[in-house]
Amino acid sequence: MARLKFGAFLAPHHPIGEHPMLQFRRDLDLVEQLDALGYDEFWCGEHHSSGWEMIASPEMFLAAAGERTKRIKLGTGVVSLPYHHPFNVAQRMVQLDHMTGGRAIFGSGPGALASDAHTLGIDPMTQRDRQDEAIGIIRRLFNGERVTARSDWFTMNDAALQILPLQEEMPFVVASQISPSGMTLAGKYGIGIISLGSMTTQGLMSLQQQWQFAEDAAKKHGTTVRRADWRVLLTWHIAETREQARREAGAGLMRWHNEYNVGTLQRPGLTAFSSPDEAVDKTAFVEGAASTIGTPDDLVKTIKNVMQVSGGVGAIIGFVHDWANPENTRRSWDMVARYVVPEINGYIDGLRRSQKFVIENRAIFERAGQAVMAKIMENEKAAEALKVTGPGRVAIPAVNAPDLQKEAAKR
């Protein structure tokens, strides 16, 4: 089975009140930690309103992250293409790819916040078509073509990139919610997907249908899509026990839901939680919950369920949030790397098999103990010395040391 990749997605979602400079620095600290822990990918988004999401340029943030990391891939999650001239987007992504040593992933979307589109005077009805148009142009530019194009929102005259991406083929990824538009774009161009709608129960259960949208579009346009290029977003907070995870995440989860989702975005159908316990129960302990607040074993179970429901994906991306304080949040990511990733990918299977073999074949190894005992007991001084330096006082495995009382009885 192919190894499942793991990553993190930073929108970001930070409660209003903390110094923005310190938030940026703490987010960069997190990328550095994730790189050291062996995570495969880190994503950050583009937003211009709402107060809670304050990274306006993912390329700028990722360039800084690239200087503090060594191996982790850095993805724009996402560049909202209708907000920018396609040529400028292409240039910035190429520069990012070179500045990070070929670690850039180009993730795009139509723009998630209606308030952002309003700020820029963009008709929401045009956003998805403009994303489609921009992807086609940027792919041509990345291939080294000289492009002349005129649209109702940009003009290009003999445009060609001076520098091409450092990677032979920079990964292209489109964001997908519950509507079929993102998956259809992925199928049309044969590119990757990051499913953001999977953080809800409805989105999680629709993953198989979502993949069908991508495959249908690929068939229509003569391309192919690969499950290995499909990323699914999940939310979690992990601790040693479920009770500890509840205590650490409850108040922050309640604030995030009440102040951001209900109070700021005013998402239809959502109501405020009345207590941290209610927030945890209704987020992580309902039938088909898409969030995990608990132990590493709980998250392993969730991920295995996602793999079954979806039919298989290439990467699990954790949503970065401030449900817990910074220290416990960092510990949560640490525990996922230490216990969840190796369990899912089978990194410790060989160690378990080795242990089991030794346990089940004890009789085979007893002869080694007999050999040690024989050499000791044939020398009277060595046998006498073992009374002082015997089991528990020397680095001889107890199973290999002689039973002095038994030997004395025999004599």
Side-chain angles (χ1 to χ4, degrees):
M1 183 180 71
R3 183 177 73 85
L4 191 64
K5 294 182 180 179
F6 283 81
F9 185 99
L10 177 76
H13 279 191
H14 293 315
I16 299 171
E18 184 178 340
H19 197 311
M21 177 189 71
L22 298 180
Q23 287 180 328
F24 285 130
R25 290 181 178 178
R26 192 172 78 239
D27 289 338
L28 287 170
D29 289 342
L30 176 64
V31 189
E32 193 170 2
Q33 178 197 8
L34 297 175
D35 182 57
L37 289 172
Y39 283 89
D40 299 285
E41 299 176 355
F42 178 86
W43 299 76
C44 76
E46 172 192 356
H47 301 92
H48 306 281
S49 57
S50 87
W52 279 60
E53 301 171 272
M54 22 68 76
I55 291 180
S57 171
E59 304 97 326
M60 187 179 293
F61 182 91
L62 295 176
E67 291 299 300
R68 297 177 58 169
T69 56
K70 298 178 180 178
R71 53 167 297 281
I72 195 168
K73 297 282 188 178
L74 301 167
T76 56
V78 297
V79 174
S80 299
L81 292 182
Y83 303 170
H84 308 276
H85 193 294
F87 187 76
N88 287 336
V89 174
Q91 287 193 111
R92 292 198 301 267
M93 288 307 304
V94 168
Q95 182 172 330
L96 178 64
D97 199 39
H98 281 266
M99 291 181 68
T100 59
R103 290 187 282 146
I105 303 174
F106 177 40
S108 74
L113 296 180
S115 51
D116 285 355
H118 174 76
T119 297
L120 297 170
I122 298 173
D123 181 355
M125 298 300 292
T126 67
Q127 287 177 253
R128 283 156 184 79
D129 290 339
R130 289 184 177 186
Q131 180 195 5
D132 186 351
E133 187 176 14
I135 288 175
I137 292 291
I138 293 169
R139 284 170 65 83
R140 292 176 61 192
L141 291 169
F142 279 4
N143 288 332
E145 295 182 34
R146 187 172 295 278
V147 179
T148 295
R150 285 174 175 77
S151 173
D152 60 347
W153 61 290
F154 69 84
T155 299
M156 298 171 63
N157 295 320
D158 299 320
L161 296 174
Q162 297 185 102
I163 307 172
L164 296 180
L166 181 60
Q167 298 176 81
E168 186 173 354
E169 187 172 348
M170 186 192 300
F172 264 70
V173 177
V174 293
S176 173
Q177 297 275 1
I178 294 179
S179 76
S181 60
M183 303 299 278
T184 300
L185 271 182
K188 177 179 179 178
Y189 292 104
I191 57 181
I193 307 141
I194 182 165
S195 291
L196 309 182
S198 51
M199 292 194 299
T200 67
T201 300
Q202 179 186 5
L204 189 62
M205 298 309 295
S206 69
L207 286 176
Q208 188 62 262
Q209 178 60 62
Q210 292 285 307
W211 184 252
Q212 190 63 53
F213 291 143
E215 288 192 323
D216 289 346
K219 184 177 181 180
K220 177 180 177 181
H221 293 277
T223 64
T224 58
V225 285
R226 304 190 314 148
R227 288 183 177 270
D229 298 327
W230 186 14
R231 299 157 175 88
V232 168
L233 199 64
L234 296 177
T235 49
W236 61 65
H237 179 72
I238 303 303
E240 282 80 356
T241 66
R242 287 185 181 179
E243 292 72 21
Q244 182 179 342
R246 291 176 69 98
R247 289 194 305 270
E248 293 175 355
L253 167 60
M254 179 178 171
R255 182 179 182 186
W256 171 73
H257 177 83
N258 290 0
E259 292 187 17
Y260 180 70
N261 291 305
V262 177
T264 303
L265 299 185
Q266 302 177 44
R267 296 191 188 279
L270 294 184
T271 58
F273 295 137
S274 60
S275 69
D277 279 338
E278 182 190 10
V280 172
D281 287 338
K282 290 188 175 180
T283 300
F285 293 98
V286 294
E287 185 68 27
S291 298
T292 302
I293 298 176
T295 67
D297 288 343
D298 292 327
L299 183 54
V300 167
K301 183 179 179 181
T302 297
I303 293 172
K304 288 182 177 179
N305 180 58
V306 169
M307 297 299 284
Q308 182 177 3
V309 167
S310 66
V313 304
I316 296 295
I317 309 297
F319 186 78
V320 181
H321 49 70
D322 286 349
W323 294 354
N325 64 33
E327 294 74 24
N328 290 331
T329 297
R330 289 172 66 89
R331 180 162 177 76
S332 173
W333 287 98
D334 178 81
M335 293 189 72
V336 172
R338 290 165 62 196
Y339 301 113
V340 177
V341 174
E343 188 66 37
I344 290 293
N345 285 324
Y347 295 157
I348 52 180
D349 289 354
L351 297 175
R352 288 188 176 127
R353 287 193 296 269
S354 179
Q355 179 191 36
K356 183 180 179 182
F357 181 82
V358 171
I359 292 171
E360 293 180 347
N361 293 273
R362 185 70 262 152
I364 297 176
F365 309 121
E366 287 179 355
R367 185 164 176 76
Q370 294 169 2
V372 172
M373 185 169 62
K375 284 298 180 182
I376 292 175
M377 299 311 297
E378 70 184 21
N379 185 307
E380 290 188 8
K381 290 183 178 180
E384 188 66 23
L386 201 61
K387 296 178 182 180
V388 179
T389 61
R393 292 185 288 274
V394 293
I396 301 176
V399 70
N400 291 338
D403 185 333
L404 297 180
Q405 292 182 345
K406 182 178 180 181
E407 291 301 320
K410 287 195 322 187
R411 292 192 179 192

